[in-house]
Structures are given as structure tokens and as C-alpha cells.
Amino acid sequence: MTVQLGIPTTRPAVPAPRRPTRQLKVGPVGVGSEHPVTVQSMTTTVTANVDATLQQIAELTAAGCDIVRVACPSQDDADALPAIARRSTIPVIADIHFQPRYVIAAIEAGCAGVRVNPGNIRAFDDRVGEIAAVAADHGTPIRIGVNAGSLDRRLLAKYGRATPEALVESALWEASLFAEHDFHDLKISVKHHDPVVMIHAYEQLAERCDYPLHLGVTEAGPALQGTVKSAVAFGALLRRGIGDTIRVSLSAPPVEEIKVGTQILQSLGLRPRKLEIVSCPSCGRAQVDVYKLADRVSAGLDGMPVPLRVAVMGCVVNGPGEAREADLGVAAGNGKGQIFVRGKVVKTVPEDQITETLIEEAMRIADEAAPDGAE
């Protein structure tokens, strides 16, 4: 019997199929159950500074961002939207609070979408018809973004706090106002800083509508805390097929949000995997500095053009087995490292040559995987 070693060519699907939704087009990007789950972030620049905002959008695009959101709190920001929407490499969504006139301005500026938080837009309910008409004319989808921190006062009075039921009722009420004007190009988010509350809110919302859902744990915190909260919440929902686009909210540079979001989707099999480093946590058995070695290998292989799982292991207990099951790996110890390629030992090198050798072998694998004539 032949045993296939190395990473499987296919990965198990998410346990549940995607929840069926309406389909939207955010610029050229499809959002909904018939399209891949997309990753979003939000610029931290002053939107009125067009060059700085476009530079950050370019950085986000390079990191794998599919859709970007820009803040529009002032008239200067609204005036900058046409140039940003026209020159951006990915669809731009305008984030609007407080002033309904900026919603109209963003749509007319050519933004691919608009996010509104009805809870803090003055007299929003009275402007829905006007907004729906302009959005329909331009083919612009709208995200109803309900947040725990800015929930409609009427719902706070009714429920006492931002419960899952309050968040869902707010979102569905605002969606019904658009439906009265025969506008249905909506996606909805019901964000909360507590992942448990957030999960319950999205579960309830998923049962009561067929709009695409944008997932987010709002104000998730610094990088480590926010990553854990987002991974827990997104994993719980996405494994049930709930969620069509995500934003990891971190108190960190926005590129880090894209890295985390991408990794979450890759881990669930919802996005093609790229470079994956399998490395041991180290222990008293380790005979090499696994932390430094893993960091050097990861940095040296950043931007690999082909999917690759690389095992960086520091002892003889689990090292050879993990290295054998990866595309490429090393089991290090006693001042040297055994280099594995697709399950077979190809060479043994001194410890100071491990990183260089792994990079060389990775490049060879990439060259072999490239189509004839490709570079």
C-alpha cells in the first residue's frame, strides 16, 4: 500500500455549507453565499489626505485586502471621496456617521458601497427613501452597521443594554425601512466587543433574514486580545456557514488586521492557503533556538508564490514526524538539521545553514510548481 506523505492537495470543507443569501456586487467584488468570504479593513489616515489614504490602501491590497473602508466625518473627507474611489486598487466603502448628506455624497462620488450606522445618524429614518433612491440609481449597496456602542436610543430604552436581541431588532428595523422603498442591496453587521454576545446576535440574525452578513468583533482590543476574540467568534460562525465578509478590528496597523483575517479564513479552508509555518513551541528537549529559527525561516519565505507548509522542529521526538508530513521541513538538534522534502530526507546540514537550505529548497519547489514558461 502506498502512503501519500506531505500536505494534502485538498482540505476538508467547512463543516456546514454557506448560509444562502442575497448576492451583492461591491464594485467588482461579489459578496454573498455564492462568492468567497472576503477580508476587509479600514484606513487610519485622514481621508481628506488623498495621497496618504491611497498609499495605505495600496499596502492593504498587497497584504490581501479585498474591500477597504474609509472614514468620512467631515466635508473635506467627502470632497476627497471621488479621487480615492477612482484611483483605489480595490473597492472603497465610505463609513458614514451623524450626517445623512454624506451618504448621498459618497454614493455620487462613486464609492463601491456605503456603511451607515442608523443609531447615530440624525433623522435617519426620515431620509431612507432619498438614500435608497440614489443608491438604486447608482447600483450602490449599503451596509447597515449596528454597533453596541452606538445603538439606537429607542432600543437601549427597550432592552436596557446592547443585548443580541437589541442589535438584531435594530438591524432588521432599518432593513425594513429600505425594503419599504424596494431597496434590498443590503448587507448587515451587528458588532459587539464581547464575542459571546456577538455570536448570539449573528446566529439570531442569520435565522431571520437572507441578507449577506459582515462579521466583526468591534473594539476587540490590542493585537493579541483582538486576534483571539476575532478567531473565536469568526470560527464559531463561519464553521456554521454564517458570514460573507469579515473585518478583524485591532488596535494595530490595519495591515495586521488583513494578516489575521486571512489566516483565519485559510485555517478554515475558506481561502487558498499560502505559506504556513508549522513550528514547535520549544521545551527542555530542544537543542536549537526554535523561536529564532522559525522567525528567520518565516521572514526568508515571506511572499512565496506557491502554497507551502514548512515544518521547523527542534527535537527528535516530534521533529522528524512533523517535518516528514510537511512539504518542506527540518528536524534540528545536536548542531545540525535534517532537511525533509515531501516526506524524504534530502540532506543534513550544519545548524547555521538550515535557514539558507530551506529557502533554497523552497525556491526549487516553487520553480517545479510553476507552469512551463512561467517565471
Side-chain angles (χ1 to χ4, degrees):
M1 181 178 70
T2 301
V3 178
Q4 296 295 329
L5 298 176
I7 187 167
T9 55
T10 59
R11 304 190 70 180
V14 173
R18 291 277 294 282
R19 158 186 166 268
T21 72
R22 297 171 179 268
Q23 308 306 311
L24 298 179
K25 294 294 287 186
V26 181
V29 177
V31 174
S33 54
E34 296 178 6
H35 304 280
V37 178
T38 54
V39 179
Q40 300 187 24
S41 185
M42 187 171 182
T43 56
T44 57
T45 56
V46 175
T47 303
N49 187 334
V50 174
D51 289 341
T53 301
L54 287 169
Q55 175 60 38
Q56 193 167 78
I57 290 174
E59 293 167 359
L60 289 167
T61 304
C65 186
D66 300 303
I67 299 170
V68 66
R69 186 155 42 109
V70 300
C72 186
S74 73
Q75 186 62 53
D76 288 342
D77 298 317
D79 292 342
L81 291 177
I84 292 170
R86 183 178 66 254
R87 295 166 58 189
S88 173
T89 50
I90 54 177
V92 172
I93 294 178
D95 189 78
I96 309 297
H97 297 269
F98 306 117
Q99 288 290 351
R101 72 174 184 273
Y102 294 154
V103 179
I104 306 295
I107 295 170
E108 294 180 340
C111 289
V114 178
R115 180 269 177 138
V116 297
N117 186 342
N120 62 23
I121 291 184
R122 300 186 188 97
F124 181 82
D125 295 357
D126 298 332
R127 303 292 298 273
V128 170
E130 179 186 0
I131 292 170
V134 176
D137 287 345
H138 288 76
T140 307
I142 291 174
R143 171 159 70 92
I144 296 174
V146 178
N147 274 27
S150 51
L151 189 65
D152 190 299
R153 291 190 299 273
R154 294 166 293 187
L155 276 303
L156 279 176
K158 178 179 178 180
Y159 289 95
R161 57 191 175 87
T163 64
E165 294 76 16
L167 295 171
V168 171
E169 183 173 330
S170 177
L172 292 178
W173 166 251
E174 301 300 342
S176 73
L177 295 180
F178 280 99
E180 289 178 0
H181 298 279
D182 198 28
F183 185 86
H184 305 281
D185 287 346
L186 303 171
K187 66 176 184 266
I188 299 179
S189 62
V190 281
K191 297 185 180 182
H192 197 284
H193 67 272
D194 184 327
V196 175
V197 175
M198 175 268 201
I199 290 169
H200 287 315
Y202 278 99
E203 288 174 337
Q204 293 178 27
L205 186 59
E207 292 177 355
R208 297 180 60 184
C209 73
D210 64 353
Y211 293 113
L213 301 183
H214 170 77
L215 304 186
V217 179
T218 190
E219 289 93 38
L224 176 59
Q225 177 179 295
T227 295
V228 172
K229 282 185 174 183
S230 297
V232 168
F234 294 176
L237 292 166
L238 290 169
R239 70 173 296 276
R240 296 184 56 194
I242 299 173
D244 304 287
T245 178
I246 65 172
R247 189 253 173 126
V248 176
S249 297
L250 302 178
S251 298
V255 165
E256 297 304 311
E257 298 183 349
I258 299 303
K259 292 179 181 178
V260 173
T262 300
Q263 285 293 319
I264 291 172
L265 295 184
Q266 288 182 15
S267 297
L268 291 167
L270 291 170
R271 176 166 286 206
R273 109 189 132 80
K274 297 182 181 178
L275 176 66
E276 179 181 359
I277 302 293
V278 177
S279 58
C280 62
S282 193
C283 66
R285 298 190 301 265
Q287 297 175 330
V288 66
D289 190 331
V290 178
Y291 307 145
K292 290 183 179 179
L293 181 58
D295 283 345
R296 288 198 297 267
V297 172
S298 181
L301 297 179
D302 187 40
M304 276 294 296
V306 298
L308 197 67
R309 175 180 284 178
V310 180
V312 179
M313 306 299 294
C315 81
V316 297
V317 175
N318 295 322
E322 290 288 354
R324 189 177 292 115
E325 292 185 6
D327 296 307
L328 173 65
V330 60
N334 294 322
K336 58 188 178 182
Q338 278 190 320
I339 306 298
F340 291 76
V341 176
R342 297 194 175 99
K344 297 180 180 180
V345 177
V346 296
K347 62 183 70 173
T348 300
V349 299
E351 183 177 325
D352 61 1
Q353 295 180 23
I354 289 175
T355 302
E356 176 186 353
T357 304
L358 286 175
I359 293 172
E360 290 175 353
E361 292 295 333
M363 293 300 106
R364 185 175 60 78
I365 292 172
D367 288 342
E368 291 174 355
D372 291 342
E375 296 183 357

